[in-house]
Amino acid sequence: MSRAALLVLSDGRFPAGGHAHSGGAEPAVAEGRVHDADSLADFCRGRLHTAGLTAAALAAAAAHGIDPLVLDEAADARTPSPALRATARKLGRQMMRAARATWPSPELDALARARPHGAHQPVVLGLTARSAGLDPEDAAHWTAYDTVSGPATAVVRLLSLDPFHATAVLARLAPEVDRVAAQAAEAARQGVDALPAASAPLLDITAEAHAAWPVRLFAS
């Protein structure tokens, strides 16, 4: 197993398309719920323990070898917002392109054929981790971290927040990312029915509203 592969995947310069998405931060900023480093930390913590936990478990399950098509259906069932389902598949399609170019594998090829318009991003993340020789815990860590690093990076642009302060938020959240990743990996070992379906209704509601904005900086 190559731990360096995990660094490549989690590098913000990996061309997976995440830079164009705020993870719900843009509407949160517009509504005044995120306005400084402390409120960013609150937002990221809430996202981590809901959408982040669910995504990390799906990724760990894919890395564990559970049928990605079954997991893709499970991801649909855990994503009530049509806007977020569309975003997850768009990000999954972009991740698939990057993954197949970087770590070609028959499993990635099979999923790409079965889901030509994109599988859910966490499922592709997990299968990518598997193709890169990483284990389910690595996949869970990568995915959990991605659910908070994306909004933190977006808020730097949206609020002109000091990037040092945004990075400090991520550093303070690191122990919680570890705990969420461990919880997600343990659930993945118990099969699809044990995967969490943590709810974040406000993220769902604001995603639907954001999708209808005539002008926006981020795609989601």
Side-chain angles (χ1 to χ4, degrees):
M1 165 188 320
S2 171
R3 294 295 181 189
L6 183 58
L7 299 179
V8 174
L9 287 168
S10 59
D11 191 327
R13 290 163 293 190
F14 189 75
H19 65 280
H21 297 265
S22 77
E26 186 166 26
V29 167
E31 294 169 4
R33 289 184 288 110
V34 174
H35 51 83
D36 59 13
D38 288 340
S39 56
L40 171 62
D42 290 340
F43 176 87
C44 288
R45 181 173 291 108
R47 180 170 165 77
L48 173 64
H49 288 278
T50 53
L53 172 62
T54 301
L58 288 163
H64 192 60
I66 295 176
D67 186 341
L69 296 179
V70 172
L71 292 173
D72 197 53
E73 293 177 358
D76 252 354
R78 288 160 172 76
T79 312
S81 162
L84 289 181
R85 286 199 297 272
T87 294
R89 292 191 179 281
K90 182 176 182 179
L91 284 168
R93 185 169 63 250
Q94 178 65 26
M95 171 57 71
M96 180 66 79
R97 291 178 61 196
R100 293 174 75 193
T102 310
W103 291 284
S105 78
E107 290 180 313
L108 286 171
D109 291 342
L111 182 57
R113 287 193 300 271
R115 293 289 187 271
H117 299 296
H120 276 259
Q121 183 198 31
V123 179
V124 181
L125 290 177
L127 205 58
T128 300
R130 181 176 169 88
S131 299
L134 299 171
D135 61 29
E137 287 78 8
D138 290 326
H141 266 97
W142 171 28
T143 308
Y145 177 73
D146 187 65
T147 64
V148 294
S149 63
T153 301
V155 169
V156 170
R157 295 172 61 187
L158 290 162
L159 288 177
S160 296
L161 184 70
D162 188 330
F164 292 165
H165 293 166
T167 302
V169 166
L170 296 176
R172 289 195 297 272
L173 285 173
E176 292 183 60
V177 171
D178 288 342
R179 289 194 291 272
V180 165
Q183 182 181 351
E186 175 59 30
R189 283 191 283 270
Q190 299 174 41
V192 175
D193 291 342
L195 297 180
S199 176
L202 190 55
L203 287 177
D204 296 333
I205 292 167
T206 57
E208 292 300 312
H210 183 264
W213 286 11
V215 178
R216 53 191 177 181
L217 183 60
F218 290 93
S220 70

